[in-house]
Structures are given as structure tokens and as C-alpha cells.
Amino acid sequence: MTELFIRLMRKPQGFVGLVLLALIAAACLFGPALAPYAPEKIDFLGRFRAPGWQNWLGADQFGRDILSRLMVGARSTVPLAFIATFVGSAAGAIIGVGSAYLGGRTDEAIMRTIDAVMAIPGLLMALLLVSTLGNGAGNAVIAIAVAFAPGMARVTRSAALNIRNQDYVKAAIARGEAAPWIIFREMLPNVMAPIVIESTIRVSFAVMLFATLSFLGVGAQPPASEWGLMVADARQYMHQAPWGLIAPSAAIALTAIAFNLVGDGLRDALNPKDER
Amino acid sequence: MTLAWFARRLMLMIYTVIVVSMLVFAITQILPADAAQSLLGENATPEMLAALRAKLGLGDPAWQQYVRWARHVFTGDFGISMRTSLPVGPEMLAALSRSLLLAVSAILVTLAIAVPLGVVAALRQGRLTDTGVSLIAYLGVSLPEFVTATLLALLLADTWHWLPATGYVSPLEDFGGGIRHLVLPVLTVSMILVAHVMRMMRSETLDVLKSDYIRAARLKGLPERTVLFRHALRNALLPVVTIIALDVGYLLGGIIVIEEIFAIPGIGRALMVAITTRDLPSIQAGALIMAATYAVTNTLADMAYAFLDPRIRYD
């Protein structure tokens, strides 16, 4: 674990990614404590105040401090994207390993069905689910998790197919172990690397998808300072206060970049042979 | 390319459309405890609820509801919109045609930008140009469409007044105006696609340049330009067909957001309107048409790929 960490830190992308992640984690943990103002504090004299010493990143249409809103908003954006990815990845991984374990026609049928489900674009799937379950951050998390599961199943299954033919799996089958034991104790631990890499990169999609749902008005609801919602709010006032648009956009992009970088860094660190 | 392979690929496409139709129907009509209630909202009178339940046949078992709906859809009848009281099918297909114009232009723009950039990055591997191209690719995949769209609109339409910010003009009626209205949405969609295709093109070119036949072509004394264009590019371009086809899925999702932002009356916007007004037949039709478009595109791409590269057989 420490060795992996060191190898990750040695690559420039891994290093930059980890530093960004640490910043984001700090904002999630201590954001409300560190924020210079309360996120809902309205200041009518400071409406659309440009970035400066009073409001480092400027103020929005109610004179609320944008930096403070971003720092507090990190909590209602990043952890939720993380949970959605985790749940979706776990479900997908179990389906994928299970399908590889069953093999043959069953595997074929499961994978063709997964391919079919993936014909529904992720955002469309999430929108359909949220429209049925009802708007809100919690339902958006469920929708993203469901939208992610098929893709993860496909990635895991292709990794698990190789494991399926390893001697230790054959031995476990010959010993007469139960299917859940083989799937969870013999196969799953050995496909963790590709799962971890793929889900790290997917957190960045989840952040973007979650922000998109909020932007479209079906995810987090006002007055939450969720980043996608902040962009949606600021769009009306982009003539007067472009900073209200740029700051949350940059926060979303940086978070997505951080998870992308760490995911790519992990891929390099876990497969030292692959030079690309 | 055998007939059996074709037949199998077509069967898979049909299977995909059937699975998708079941899923769409299940999520929109079966999953809600009472679809009528969620359609009409909390202020509905019991009589209204009862009338709608009877109209949708919500009292019947789920599979009967599905079969009835699927039979109508099969004959092209997607039902009547609850919002406009017009048939849903023709409206959605007209919207789809406007979306396809956007999608096809985006793919063309993507190819024109991404292929040269990817090749250049591969040729200058590890140098400054390569790093620059990789950075752009990172930025491309890390910005959600609504952010790219808003920032581009802020810059090109709002600050510099080069382009109209929103709206749609049919290029058949006013070609210049139509194109001007398309530029911003097409640029936005292309951003992420460029990143994908560029990465793919770079790694494929690197692989091909290391291959034996390229070394043979060089040893034969062919000029570098011939090696690159006649031998390397032809082979490196093949997988791009697949990645473009897979990206059509992303493209269709992205179109929902982009049409909403730029006020383009395409299928994405129609779907968004249907979702916010809870217009059930329109939601079902829109989602099904979108997913079917993806399934058809992918099948065509697979066939094109098999046609271009006779070594490939998916089995």
C-alpha cells in the first residue's frame, strides 16, 4: 500500500492528482469551518461584487460570498458522487464476476443484456430514474449508481474471465466450494485492481453527472450550494458577474481532473510494465 | 463477412431494442407505485385519477400493459402527447432529425480536429506538443457539457458578439443563419469527443508505427510521407470507427443538455420538456427512439468495421 502510494507520487500526474484530491478532501471536511462567510449570508450592498479583498472570488446576485459557497458546496457535491460511484461499481463488479463465474451461455446472455442496457445513455438513464423517483440529491445518487453498474459489469467481467481459468479458481470449484464463496473470496479480490482504476476515473464522471442533474433542476435543490446548481443560478447574470459562472465551473473541472489524474496514475502504478 | 455473422449482428440489434423498450416502460410506467398519481400531481381529483388509470390501463398486469404498448409502438404509434394532444411519434422524429444534424456535424468537426492532433502527438511523443495535446484532452474530458456550453457562450456570444447565443434556424430555409446557430452547440459537443478520439488516435498511431510492416516500408526506402499516409494512417484510423460509434451514446446524452442550453428543438429538448411536464408517452417515445438510434449506429459501425478490415470477426 505504501509502495503503491510512493509509486503514484513519483509520476507527475499522480502527484498533481493526489495534491488536488487532498485539497478537495480538506474542503469537504473543514469547508464550513474555514469558509470566510456563512454560505447563505445575504449582503445587498455587495451584490455582484467583483473578486477582491472582501470576496476573494466575488459575490453572487444576493451578495453571497462565492468562495464560501464553493467550500461548503464541496460537501454536497463530491461525497455524493463518491457514494454513487461506490454503490454502482460494487453492484457492477458483482454482476461482472458472477457472469464470468457462470460462464457459457448464461454469461453470454447476461453480457448481451448488459450491452443492450448500455444503449441507454447514462444521462438519459439517470434522468428517467430521477423523473420516476422524484427530484432531489438522494434520488440522483441512486440514479447515477444504476447508470454506472452496467459499464462496471462489463469492465469487471473481462478481467474476471482470465481469473476464471486460473488454477486456484478451478481448485476451489473442484473442492466443491459454494458459488458465493468462489465469487467473493477467490475471484473478486483478484480483479480489484482494474475495478479500483475504473471506479476512480468514474468518480469524475459522477461529479459531472451529478452537477449536470442539478443544473437541469432535478438533482440538488436550492438553496444548496451544490456546484452545478451554482452554475445554473449564475447563468442568468453572466453579463454582470461572469465570476459567478467561472468559479463553480472551475471547481467541477478541477475535481474531475483530480480523479482522472489519480485514476491514470493508479493504472501506471499498478501496471509498471505498460510504458504508455 | 459471412451471412451468418450479419444475421447474428441484426438479431443482437433487435434484442437490444426489445430490452431497452422493456426497461424504459418499466422505469416510467411500472416502477411508480401509481403512475397516474405521479403524472397528475397531488392536486388531482379522484375522478381524474380514475379516468387516467383507465386510459393507461394501469389496472392490468404489468406484462399486459407492456405488450399493449409495444404492439402500438411496433406499428409506429407512440400514443398521444398529454401536453399537446398531438401524436407523439411524428413530433419526436422531426425533433430527431434536427438532433441528427447537430450530431453529424459534431462528428465531422471532431474528426477534422482530433485525427491530425492525435497523429501529431504520436509523432512527437514525449515532447512539448505531445504534453500540450494530452493536457487539452484532459481538460476536454473533465468539463461537463453544461460548463463548456456556458463558458463558450459567455466568450463567443456574450463578450465578443460573434455568434447568436441560443435558438435554432433550419439550414434549409436560411443556410448562413442555420450554420451560425449551429456553431456553438457543435463546438460544445465536439470538446469531449475530440478528447476521446485524439487519445485513441495517438495510441493507435504509436502502436502502428512500432509494427513490422512500417519498419519494412521504411527499410524499403519509401519516403516518410508515403509511409505515414499510405501505411500508418490507414491502419490507425480503423479503431476510430468503433470509438466514434461508442461515443454516439455519449453524444445522445450530451445532446439533452446542449439542446436545453442552446434552445434547439431537438429530441433532447423534447425529452427534457416531456420529463418536466410528466408527459408519459413523450418520455417513452423519446427515450426509446434515442436508444434505438444508438443501437442502429453501433450495428452499422460494426458492419463498416468488418467490411473495412476483413480480419475482424466478433464472436
Side-chain angles (χ1 to χ4, degrees):
Chain A
M1 199 61 196
T2 19
E3 196 201 322
L4 179 68
F5 181 72
I6 293 169
R7 231 190 279 160
L8 192 57
M9 288 294 275
R10 235 181 245 153
K11 290 261 180 183
Q13 53 191 21
F15 178 75
V16 176
L18 281 179
V19 170
L20 283 174
L21 271 196
L23 281 176
I24 294 160
C28 291
L29 286 174
F30 311 115
L34 291 176
Y37 299 91
E40 320 291 348
K41 189 174 166 285
I42 292 173
D43 172 10
F44 276 109
L45 291 176
R47 295 181 73 208
F48 303 124
R49 189 182 279 141
W53 61 271
Q54 259 182 314
N55 304 101
W56 290 3
L57 293 179
D60 68 2
Q61 70 272 25
F62 297 116
R64 296 177 297 192
D65 181 48
I66 290 175
L67 177 64
S68 305
R69 286 179 68 72
L70 276 185
M71 289 170 80
V72 176
R75 257 187 200 189
S76 43
T77 312
V78 185
L80 292 180
F82 211 84
I83 295 170
T85 314
F86 183 81
V87 175
S89 299
I94 293 170
I95 297 173
V97 175
S99 180
Y101 165 77
L102 292 168
R105 280 174 178 276
T106 325
D107 175 46
E108 178 79 9
I110 296 177
M111 288 331 284
R112 291 294 83 82
T113 309
I114 295 254
D115 286 348
V117 174
M118 287 182 71
I120 304 180
L123 178 61
L124 175 57
M125 179 69 119
L127 274 174
L128 286 179
L129 283 167
V130 174
S131 78
T132 294
L133 299 172
N135 298 349
N139 288 335
V141 169
I142 298 174
I144 294 172
V146 174
F148 274 9
M152 274 314 287
R154 192 140 80 173
V155 172
T156 317
R157 183 254 185 184
S158 65
L161 270 189
N162 296 324
I163 305 288
R164 177 71 173 75
N165 294 323
Q166 297 285 323
D167 284 340
Y168 57 83
V169 176
K170 286 184 185 154
I173 296 172
R175 279 202 305 274
E177 302 282 8
W181 173 275
I182 298 174
I183 291 174
F184 284 99
R185 298 305 300 269
E186 304 281 351
M187 293 175 75
L188 205 52
N190 290 295
V191 290
M192 275 320 271
I195 295 177
V196 168
I197 294 170
E198 180 72 17
S199 27
T200 312
I201 295 176
R202 264 166 195 274
V203 177
S204 72
F205 291 121
V207 169
M208 295 196 277
L209 199 51
F210 188 69
T212 303
L213 289 176
S214 300
F215 177 83
L216 291 173
V218 300
Q221 300 295 317
S225 55
E226 198 279 331
W227 297 342
L229 207 57
M230 286 177 70
V231 176
D233 270 355
R235 251 165 58 82
Q236 282 174 276
Y237 308 101
M238 66 182 182
H239 315 272
Q240 296 108 308
W243 45 87
L245 205 64
I246 292 166
S249 304
I252 295 167
L254 277 180
T255 312
I257 288 176
F259 281 103
N260 265 322
L261 284 173
V262 173
D264 280 0
L266 272 178
R267 190 193 332 248
D268 288 351
L270 290 169
N271 312 312
K273 267 175 258 162
D274 191 10
E275 286 297 312
R276 274 211 314 269
Chain B
M1 208 166 6
T2 57
L3 207 61
W5 183 83
F6 258 124
R8 211 184 106 80
R9 198 65 196 72
L10 278 179
M11 289 299 288
L12 272 181
M13 187 180 91
I14 294 166
Y15 180 66
T16 301
V17 175
I18 293 175
V19 169
V20 166
S21 71
M22 285 180 170
L23 211 58
V24 166
F25 192 78
I27 295 176
T28 50
Q29 191 155 334
I30 308 294
L31 195 62
D34 184 353
Q37 181 81 61
S38 71
L39 285 173
L40 293 174
E42 282 166 16
N43 301 325
T45 61
E47 296 82 53
M48 284 162 73
L49 285 174
L52 185 61
R53 275 192 208 114
K55 194 173 148 207
L56 292 173
L58 290 179
D60 298 339
W63 69 269
Q64 275 184 14
Q65 294 182 38
Y66 171 74
V67 169
R68 190 167 48 225
W69 176 73
R71 251 212 322 259
H72 284 288
V73 167
F74 191 71
T75 57
D77 173 17
F78 282 96
I80 304 290
S81 163
M82 296 170 141
R83 190 172 57 89
T84 59
S85 303
L86 292 170
V88 170
E91 217 173 319
M92 280 290 169
L93 288 177
L96 179 69
S97 72
R98 291 187 280 265
S99 296
L100 285 182
L101 176 67
L102 172 60
V104 171
S105 328
I107 288 176
L108 292 180
V109 169
T110 302
L111 286 177
I113 299 174
V115 170
L117 277 183
V119 174
V120 168
L123 290 178
R124 325 201 109 243
Q125 188 194 5
R127 289 198 249 168
L128 204 61
T129 327
D130 184 23
T131 318
V133 167
S134 306
L135 277 181
I136 297 174
Y138 257 115
L139 209 60
V141 293
S142 303
L143 284 169
E145 304 83 24
F146 74 92
V147 170
T148 328
T150 322
L151 292 181
L152 280 178
L154 179 70
L155 211 63
L156 297 177
D158 225 67
T159 314
W160 295 337
H161 302 288
W162 285 358
L163 294 163
T166 57
Y168 173 84
V169 175
S170 167
L172 294 177
E173 285 158 23
D174 171 10
F175 189 73
I179 298 296
R180 280 169 59 78
H181 278 88
L182 265 181
V183 174
L184 274 180
V186 165
L187 269 185
T188 313
V189 189
S190 306
M191 280 288 269
I192 293 186
L193 292 183
V194 164
H196 284 178
V197 176
M198 198 161 67
R199 275 183 168 184
M200 183 78 178
M201 197 64 211
R202 175 180 178 273
S203 71
E204 281 303 320
T205 312
L206 280 179
D207 274 355
V208 169
L209 286 178
K210 279 183 204 142
S211 66
D212 288 337
Y213 57 84
I214 292 296
R215 196 187 311 155
R218 282 190 177 138
L219 289 176
K220 205 158 70 173
L222 288 181
E224 191 59 28
R225 189 151 38 112
T226 319
V227 174
L228 193 62
F229 284 95
R230 299 273 320 251
H231 297 258
L233 267 188
R234 273 193 175 188
N235 289 290
L237 268 173
L238 265 180
V240 172
V241 177
T242 316
I243 195 119
I244 288 272
L246 289 176
D247 270 341
V248 169
Y250 148 74
L251 194 67
L252 290 169
I255 268 178
I256 302 177
V257 183
I258 287 171
E259 291 181 346
E260 180 72 13
I261 292 178
F262 292 114
I264 298 169
I267 192 159
R269 187 132 198 265
L271 196 64
M272 221 31 229
V273 171
I275 285 176
T276 40
T277 55
R278 300 185 174 278
D279 180 359
L280 197 57
S282 299
I283 299 177
Q284 290 166 344
L288 187 58
I289 290 174
M290 267 197 168
T293 311
Y294 176 75
V296 172
T297 325
N298 257 287
T299 309
L300 290 179
D302 270 5
M303 288 179 176
Y305 198 95
F307 184 73
L308 291 171
D309 186 350
R311 289 169 305 178
I312 303 288
R313 285 292 169 278
Y314 299 94
D315 30 37

